[in-house]
Amino acid sequence: IVDVLSEGNLTKGHRVGVTGTINLDGTVGNIGGIEQKVRAAEHAGADVILVPAEEAADARKAARSARVVGVATISDAVTALNGLQPA
């Protein structure tokens, strides 16, 4: 949604998977099944996956090829995407 509402191309040609909850204050909350969600995102072609910061270590263990980025807030997610190099 943020990519569509933002100027430019926030994902810079990457296939980005995202999981977690977003609370009203912009914090990203944990979810269950992070390992399965990472594998599903990779299977669907994601090369970058944004996950709740508290689950990032488990997500990285499950990832085979995608870059996993832990984020604590929606602002962190946008910052991480802005920092991507073009695919």
Side-chain angles (χ1 to χ4, degrees), residues 51-86:
V51 302
E54 291 181 15
E55 296 180 291
D58 289 336
R60 286 187 186 103
K61 288 178 190 174
R64 294 184 178 124
S65 59
R67 175 180 169 200
V68 173
V69 180
V71 296
T73 65
I74 188 71
S75 180
D76 290 348
V78 171
T79 298
L81 294 174
N82 279 328
L84 292 174
Q85 297 299 315

Side-chain angles (χ1 to χ4, degrees), residues 31-51:
I31 45 88
I34 190 71
E35 296 89 352
Q36 293 83 357
K37 291 176 181 172
V38 166
R39 290 190 185 124
E42 285 184 322
H43 182 73
D47 63 316
V48 176
I49 306 171
L50 304 182
V51 302

